[in-house]
Amino acid sequence: MSGGIDNLVRMANQIGDFFGTMKDRRQSLEEIAGHLRRFWEPRMRVALLAHVDREAGAGLSDIVLESLRAHRDRIV
């Protein structure tokens, strides 16, 4: 992974760690997607989704990858 995507993956995983503590997995997935949509610049979101497409999301935690796949339309 390149330096830029490494940072995005690390930050996305931190968000996943935070929301992953919720008891309701469905809500966790929604909160991760919502956070990315509200607080990340569009180019950051596009780069992260491109990483999912190109590299199958290498380095992303399971919960973040699941959220990105389930809520892609909300994130872009």
Side-chain angles (χ1 to χ4, degrees):
M1 290 186 290
S2 70
I5 196 63
D6 286 343
N7 287 332
L8 295 179
V9 166
R10 181 182 50 77
M11 289 187 298
N13 285 339
Q14 289 173 337
I15 294 164
D17 290 345
F18 178 79
F19 289 112
T21 61
M22 301 174 85
K23 294 183 194 285
D24 184 339
R25 179 131 178 129
R26 182 189 56 78
Q27 185 179 5
S28 294
L29 299 176
E30 290 174 5
E31 292 293 339
I32 292 166
H35 183 90
L36 293 173
R37 177 71 182 153
R38 285 188 304 275
F39 298 108
W40 280 33
E41 293 181 7
R43 64 184 178 179
M44 295 167 68
R45 298 190 310 260
V46 167
L48 189 62
L49 291 170
H51 175 67
V52 170
D53 295 341
R54 278 193 315 271
E55 305 293 332
L60 289 169
S61 66
D62 290 340
I63 195 165
V64 171
L65 195 51
E66 186 178 349
S67 176
L68 292 172
R69 289 179 172 152
H71 299 289
R72 183 181 191 110
D73 58 326
R74 289 183 50 208
I75 296 169
V76 286

